Amino acid sequence: MQLDDVISRIRMLPGLSRFLLPQLFPDLQEAARDGPVIIVNASQYGCDALIITSTQDPVHIPLNVTQAEVSELSSEFQSTTERVGSSDHELESNKIMGILRKLWDCVVGPVLQVLTSRNLICHHSRIWWCPTAEFTLLPLYAAGPYKEKSHDGKKSHSLSHFCISSCIPTLAELVRTRQQVSRDAAIQYFVAIGQANPDEAKLLRSVDAESSVVTQRLAHILPFTQLADSDATVHGVVDAFQSKSLAPSGLPNRKQPHIIQSILAVLNGQPRLRFFRVRRVTRDGPRCSIVPVASVGPYRYNYPAVTAGPAM
């Protein structure tokens, strides 16, 4: 009874009315205020996508793929990316493209069709992916048919030609992040970190070219900082995080899929700067996400090796 009394008193405090209670769905819908959030799940009972919007009921989409198939895709993707540069480049590229096509056919394509048919998005709308289970190990944002032309003679496109994708761990985390930024009312800024040749790691061939494109697009829009080559060191990255609040996202832990390990490969003999190190030096809520997708980049030079963009 004493514990119940303490909890009741805590819930009387401002902002703590839901202490130790699950969040209400209308509160979670706030995550979709700037665009739909797509939760993707795989289980022994089936695979499904759930589209969350800010004003409508959730839209359920059964996916034509099994948990075993998703697990196989994730295993193949991880094993292939770990062998980058150690075997036949063309073979690696074909395997990656095959995985991305499968994701498009079974997951991303059907979701995009529902989003467009229900007028939930327009061209280049923002969407947020919230993958769970085995889907956390797969690059849904990079999915596409990857064909020169479709059956009707028109050129086919990947997801990035239709939407701007971001990834989140939970709806509540996106809501919390936006609330923090709203309270701070800070100026937006952007930091691009590109290290094409990190210590004890493999060469990323398209980092420099893509960092240049990011700079051209954003430098005239908002405060912009770029760290590249000899500047992309451990100390340089940490200094950037101390002066600008960032929220890195990155590679899932294969043995523990619910854990996202953010890794930036940099210089100075410490090739892996992990998420916990970054979180320790940041001051406020996240304003920008750094998404290392080098697992995709080496296969086709026109896809990002490192992509950075707003977290909200």
Side-chain angles (χ1 to χ4, degrees):
M1 293 297 295
Q2 185 177 7
L3 177 60
D4 291 340
D5 182 59
V6 171
I7 293 175
S8 296
R9 292 185 179 184
I10 292 176
R11 289 175 180 165
M12 295 175 64
L13 297 175
L16 294 176
S17 62
R18 300 294 301 176
F19 179 71
L20 293 183
L21 292 174
Q23 288 188 272
L24 298 174
F25 181 66
D27 295 334
L28 293 176
Q29 280 186 290
E30 178 66 15
R33 73 181 189 192
D34 293 328
V37 177
I38 303 99
I39 301 173
V40 189
N41 183 61
S43 76
Q44 60 180 320
Y45 305 106
C47 298
D48 307 89
L50 201 62
I51 299 176
I52 308 298
T53 65
S54 59
T55 58
Q56 303 177 26
D57 292 336
V59 180
H60 173 240
I61 306 173
L63 302 176
N64 186 27
V65 66
T66 66
Q67 182 184 29
E69 290 174 323
V70 176
S71 180
E72 183 179 350
L73 282 175
S74 64
S75 296
E76 184 180 359
F77 180 75
Q78 295 297 311
S79 62
T80 303
T81 55
E82 288 172 359
R83 297 194 304 269
V84 172
S86 61
S87 59
D88 184 79
H89 176 82
E90 189 68 24
L91 178 62
E92 293 169 350
S93 177
N94 290 336
K95 286 185 177 180
I96 289 294
M97 292 302 108
I99 293 171
L100 297 180
R101 290 189 193 102
K102 179 72 172 178
L103 289 175
W104 175 266
D105 293 338
C106 297
V107 182
V108 176
V111 169
L112 184 61
Q113 183 177 14
V114 172
L115 289 171
T116 54
S117 64
R118 297 189 177 221
N119 295 320
L120 298 177
I121 61 170
C122 55
H123 190 56
H124 282 174
S125 291
R126 288 291 302 273
I127 63 173
W128 282 260
W129 292 96
C130 184
T132 66
E134 286 86 350
F135 280 111
T136 61
L137 301 169
L138 290 165
L140 296 172
Y141 51 83
Y146 294 107
K147 300 174 182 176
E148 289 299 324
K149 290 185 178 180
S150 59
H151 65 277
D152 58 3
K154 297 181 180 179
K155 185 176 180 180
S156 58
H157 296 295
S158 62
L159 177 63
S160 61
H161 288 84
F162 301 97
C163 303
I164 302 171
S165 292
S166 297
C167 294
I168 59 172
T170 65
L171 295 172
E173 182 64 20
L174 182 55
V175 172
R176 185 203 65 79
T177 298
R178 286 174 171 158
Q179 290 172 344
Q180 178 68 46
V181 172
S182 178
R183 286 194 296 268
D184 293 343
I187 298 174
Q188 290 186 339
Y189 36 72
F190 199 99
V191 177
I193 302 170
Q195 180 51 261
N197 192 22
D199 288 349
E200 300 180 19
K202 297 170 183 175
L203 176 66
L204 300 178
R205 307 175 188 179
S206 53
V207 168
D208 292 339
E210 288 157 2
S211 295
S212 177
V213 172
V214 172
T215 302
Q216 293 174 8
R217 296 292 181 88
L218 294 180
H220 66 286
I221 298 177
L222 73 171
F224 185 92
T225 300
Q226 181 176 8
L227 299 178
D229 299 328
S230 60
D231 294 327
T233 64
V234 172
H235 294 300
V237 171
V238 171
D239 288 343
F241 288 168
Q242 286 176 330
S243 62
K244 298 176 175 60
S245 299
L246 307 175
S249 59
L251 303 176
N253 186 314
R254 178 64 188 164
K255 296 181 179 180
Q256 296 174 287
H258 62 286
I259 297 177
I260 301 296
Q261 293 185 125
S262 290
I263 300 172
L264 290 176
V266 292
L267 294 176
N268 286 8
Q270 186 175 340
R272 288 172 178 249
L273 186 65
R274 293 182 182 274
F275 178 69
F276 69 84
R277 170 78 180 274
V278 173
R279 292 292 294 181
R280 195 160 58 234
V281 300
T282 56
R283 298 178 302 176
D284 306 311
R287 312 234 172 83
C288 178
S289 64
I290 298 177
V291 186
V293 289
S295 297
V296 179
Y299 300 98
R300 297 287 275 274
Y301 301 148
N302 56 328
Y303 301 114
V306 176
T307 302
M312 284 68 68

